[in-house]
Amino acid sequence: LLGALIFRIVHDRYGRAAKLTGALLLLGTSTVSIAFLPGYEQIGATAIVLLALLRVAQGIAVGGAWDGLPSLLAVTAPEDRSGWYAMIAQIGAPIGFVVATGLFAYLFTSVGAEDFVAWGWRFAFFTAFAINVVTLFARLRMAVTPDFEELFTASELTPSPVPELLREKAGDILLGAMVPLATYALFHLVTIFPLSWWLLFPEQYALGQLFALQILGAALCVVTMLISGKVADRIGRVRTLYWGGGAIALFCLPAPFLGDTVFGALAFIPSGFALLGFSLAQAAGAVNANFESRYRYSGALITNELSWLLGAAFAPLVALMLAHQLGNGGVAIYLLSGAIATLIALHFNLARMQVNEQDQVHL
């Protein structure tokens, strides 16, 4: 959220190209710097502080790298293909996760556990900079073109003053931030949380097994995202998210009975990824229609970043604490609370959609 606000200033003063270039260079530089960070044995607690600062820099860069593509796709998509077009903007997440996890799995199995801890993990962060450079050129080639800018202008997707936006649309921002809460919480519970749990209890299952489960899960995530695009074109994006939130709530029920075993991970991770794909495909900007055109670009930006902050930022830490104190049941309750919040927000949004449709009929 902070990164989005900071790079909004860059966008206003220097344009979209400068914003994207600065954000992606900051992301790449902070990522590769982690590869060269001295360990705790060399500089003590300073290593923890530096790592935290680099992670903050990554977060600021991710916020600044938002280019408005989900909003543009929502506005320009054919009337009966909005779900499919929205899915396109999201499908890069599981594909990127497969690449990253596959690289870590290869390094772990190739160099051995001792060398991996000593230096192998650093190689993955080092190579990420090369990927970041490719991403930068690809994003600039797409987003900084006359056609792209013309589409934004024609769709009235231009930044609006943030104070005015917050004053006029605070309720819509909060509602929009609550809609994908369960989705973003589930994202971190199937990606980061299992790794944190393994670090605390490595005897329960092998790291190689965990990597394999996550790669399988991410592949299932791609499949269910494609399904979600088709389903959303039939029943609508908001209703698809409603079914996805309900499925996540039901997913929480058997979690206390799975146990902290390989079987539990086998049941939780791939099925969690599958549910994640179905809802994540429609999570970005599903309620952006609540914003008038002049507020849609900035409203979508702030709503998206606030959603990640509320739904995902603290999820791994909170889940780890609850798992340690209460077991899997505590994690299930935490995810269930997010699913309930999502369903309540979607209920209010569906009611609002019906009111708007009635108003249009009367007009």
Side-chain angles (χ1 to χ4, degrees), residues 10-282:
V10 178
H11 187 177
D12 291 343
R13 293 187 178 182
Y14 304 105
R16 192 188 313 276
K19 185 193 79 164
L20 287 175
T21 302
L24 290 173
L25 284 178
L26 176 61
L27 178 61
T29 302
S30 55
T31 300
V32 76
S33 296
I34 295 176
F36 298 103
L37 189 66
Y40 185 86
E41 298 80 6
Q42 286 77 41
I43 58 176
T46 304
I48 302 174
V49 175
L50 291 176
L51 178 60
L53 291 175
L54 290 173
R55 292 289 290 154
V56 169
Q58 286 179 314
I60 291 174
V62 170
W66 193 85
D67 58 8
L69 182 60
S71 295
L72 180 63
L73 289 172
V75 172
T76 59
E79 186 176 351
D80 59 345
R81 299 297 304 278
S82 60
W84 184 262
Y85 275 60
M87 176 272 300
I88 294 173
Q90 300 287 85
I91 202 168
I95 295 175
F97 184 83
V98 169
V99 173
T101 306
L103 178 59
F104 270 100
Y106 173 77
L107 291 171
F108 181 77
T109 56
S110 298
V111 304
E114 184 175 346
D115 287 336
F116 179 80
V117 172
W119 60 268
W121 66 270
R122 297 177 182 271
F123 182 77
F125 285 89
F126 180 74
T127 56
F129 187 79
I131 298 174
N132 188 262
V133 171
V134 175
T135 301
L136 172 60
F137 281 102
R139 293 281 288 275
L140 290 178
R141 186 174 179 84
M142 180 190 69
V144 188
T145 62
D147 291 341
F148 200 78
E149 293 291 345
E150 184 179 345
L151 284 172
F152 266 91
T153 303
S155 304
E156 300 183 38
L157 292 174
T158 55
S160 56
V162 174
E164 178 185 347
L165 172 67
L166 296 178
R167 184 174 61 252
E168 298 293 332
K169 293 294 179 180
D172 289 318
I173 290 174
L174 183 59
L175 177 65
M178 297 296 288
V179 164
L181 204 63
T183 303
Y184 292 163
L186 181 60
F187 180 88
H188 275 53
L189 289 181
V190 296
T191 56
I192 306 300
F193 169 70
L195 290 170
S196 303
W197 186 261
W198 177 84
L199 288 172
L200 292 178
F201 306 102
E203 70 280 356
Q204 291 182 353
Y205 46 80
L207 184 58
Q209 291 177 318
L210 177 57
F211 283 148
L213 285 174
Q214 289 188 318
I215 291 173
L216 171 63
L220 291 175
C221 183
V222 173
V223 174
T224 54
M225 289 182 83
L226 296 173
I227 295 172
S228 177
K230 293 293 187 181
V231 172
D233 286 340
R234 286 182 172 271
I235 67 174
R237 297 184 62 200
V238 174
R239 289 180 175 84
T240 301
L241 275 175
Y242 199 94
W243 284 103
I248 292 174
L250 294 175
F251 173 70
C252 300
L253 299 180
F257 307 102
L258 295 179
D260 304 321
T261 61
V262 175
F263 172 76
L266 183 64
F268 175 77
I269 294 176
S271 55
F273 265 106
L275 287 175
L276 172 66
F278 187 80
S279 55
L280 181 63
Q282 308 302 324

